[in-house]
Amino acid sequence: MPVQKTEKIWHNGKFINWDDAKLHVLSHVVSYGSGIFEGIRCYETPQGPAIFRLREHMQRLINSGRIYRMELPYSVDEFSSVACELVRLNKMGACYVKPIVVRGYGEVGVNPLNSPIETYMACWNWGAYLGQDALTKGVDVCVSSWTRIAPNTLPAMSKAAANYMNSQLIRMEASLNGFAEGIALDSHGHVSEGSGMNVFLVHDGTLYTPPLATSILPGITRDAVTKLAVDLNIPVKESAIPREMLYIADEVFFVGTAVEVTPIRSVDKIVVGKGVVGPITRQIQQEFFALTSGKAPDRHGWMTPVNAPVVAAR
């Protein structure tokens, strides 16, 4: 899906023209992958655009930087205010907001500490990640031959650019073999996550999802879905999941900022359940979209109206 150009991008505290957001080819991030980022959805609601779990995403950005010894010069409140201003300035409704922090042009060795930190934030229109039909009919996926990054190699809890080289291998393999996505296993053979999304399974009325120890990103939508399941009196268990459980589960679905709540109808050409969107997946999907669209009360305080000041944390 090509990026749809908007007018302004934020860079190091200033709004600049879209076409002026450029890096030198010898910036540290180009050779060594020293970048972190976030993906955040802004939804159109009856009260105007509102960003989903804005503060949590900005806190994760700061956490990602801390893991890689990148001291970010802005706070959660400051990043959150910029996001709202960016959406307003570009006159956007529903859109995708992407903060990016990279090691820029400085030194050319592996050691990143003497390369400057560059901060950017952009937004643009972005529809359903795997296509509109994916949300209503589900997608066909495979178990990837590529293993997720192992513990104590690259930190999976950081949303770092380098991690997504692993993700690219997972996604390319799936795509070339005719699948919409891949599900990777961790280094111990347990279900981990997709190329850029978390996984949930339903078995005998209980919702299962892999724990952080299986090299998953601590997904913010994953956390939201867990809380929504509790609201709906659906039992939730975080536990190691063997590969074969994907084949006997009653329902399987992806969650994430990009995919939102996307049902999975088959894994390795084995039909999941009855091959249609299951009742628990449907229930969670409906609850999620009701909340993000403003049709249901924002009982968890997850939506930040773009046209209102960002309230500082107490």
Side-chain angles (χ1 to χ4, degrees):
M1 186 181 298
V3 175
Q4 296 184 19
K5 179 178 173 179
T6 54
E7 187 180 345
K8 296 291 183 181
I9 286 176
W10 181 81
H11 174 227
N12 290 349
K14 297 179 181 178
F15 289 97
I16 62 174
N17 292 330
W18 178 282
D19 291 334
D20 292 334
K22 297 175 181 177
L23 283 172
H24 195 283
V25 70
L26 292 180
S27 295
H28 196 272
V29 65
V30 176
S31 292
Y32 302 110
S34 49
I36 56 173
F37 66 96
E38 278 298 324
I40 316 168
R41 276 200 190 263
C42 179
Y43 290 89
E44 193 64 77
T45 77
Q47 293 76 41
I51 304 177
F52 180 66
R53 306 202 75 179
L54 176 59
R55 294 182 57 83
E56 291 91 337
H57 280 96
M58 295 309 183
Q59 183 60 62
R60 189 172 65 181
L61 181 72
I62 289 171
N63 293 348
S64 293
R66 186 177 180 85
I67 290 168
Y68 276 101
R69 302 179 188 273
M70 299 170 78
E71 281 296 323
L72 276 55
Y74 302 98
S75 68
V76 168
D77 291 337
E78 289 168 328
F79 274 128
S80 298
S81 293
V82 167
C84 291
E85 190 175 354
L86 180 71
V87 174
R88 287 195 301 267
L89 194 62
N90 284 309
K91 300 178 176 63
M92 304 295 286
C95 62
Y96 189 78
V97 180
K98 188 160 191 171
I100 304 169
V101 181
V102 302
R103 299 276 191 182
Y105 180 76
E107 295 195 357
V108 293
V110 172
N111 185 351
L113 296 176
N114 291 320
S115 293
I117 290 174
E118 305 276 353
T119 56
Y120 292 87
M121 200 180 305
C123 68
W124 63 88
N125 282 316
W126 203 14
Y129 182 65
L130 297 176
Q132 194 58 43
D133 282 353
L135 294 172
T136 56
K137 298 178 182 177
V139 292
D140 301 309
V141 309
C142 63
V143 174
S144 182
S145 70
W146 292 99
T147 300
R148 278 289 288 155
I149 48 180
N152 213 31
T153 57
L154 292 172
M157 288 185 69
S158 176
K159 194 173 176 70
N163 293 6
Y164 285 79
M165 291 298 284
N166 177 251
S167 298
Q168 288 175 52
L169 293 169
I170 294 164
R171 181 62 187 269
M172 286 189 292
E173 178 187 53
S175 181
L176 291 170
N177 287 323
F179 297 96
E181 255 295 342
I183 295 176
L185 307 179
D186 70 4
S187 56
H188 299 291
H190 297 116
V191 173
S192 179
E193 61 181 16
S195 68
M197 62 285 290
N198 295 116
V199 182
F200 281 86
L201 289 76
V202 178
H203 186 65
D204 290 340
T206 297
L207 198 57
Y208 292 86
T209 195
L212 292 180
T214 56
S215 295
I216 67 167
L217 181 74
I220 291 165
T221 308
R222 171 183 177 271
D223 176 74
V225 165
T226 299
K227 288 180 168 67
L228 291 178
V230 172
D231 292 347
L232 296 166
N233 295 316
I234 299 166
V236 183
K237 289 186 179 179
E238 191 178 275
S239 65
I241 298 170
R243 173 179 179 162
E244 60 270 27
M245 196 164 172
L246 293 168
Y247 305 140
I248 62 171
D250 302 313
E251 305 174 42
V252 187
F253 59 93
F254 283 134
V255 305
T257 297
V259 296
E260 297 165 298
V261 180
T262 296
I264 294 172
R265 66 186 172 209
S266 73
V267 181
D268 288 340
K269 300 187 178 180
I270 298 174
V271 173
V272 173
K274 296 179 180 177
V276 296
V277 181
I280 289 178
T281 305
R282 180 75 72 198
Q283 199 176 2
I284 288 172
Q285 192 182 56
Q286 289 174 345
E287 194 74 10
F288 177 82
F289 285 117
L291 192 150
T292 55
S293 67
K295 293 176 183 176
D298 182 17
R299 59 185 181 274
H300 293 287
W302 288 341
M303 307 301 292
T304 300
V306 165
N307 297 319
V310 175
V311 179
R314 294 181 180 178

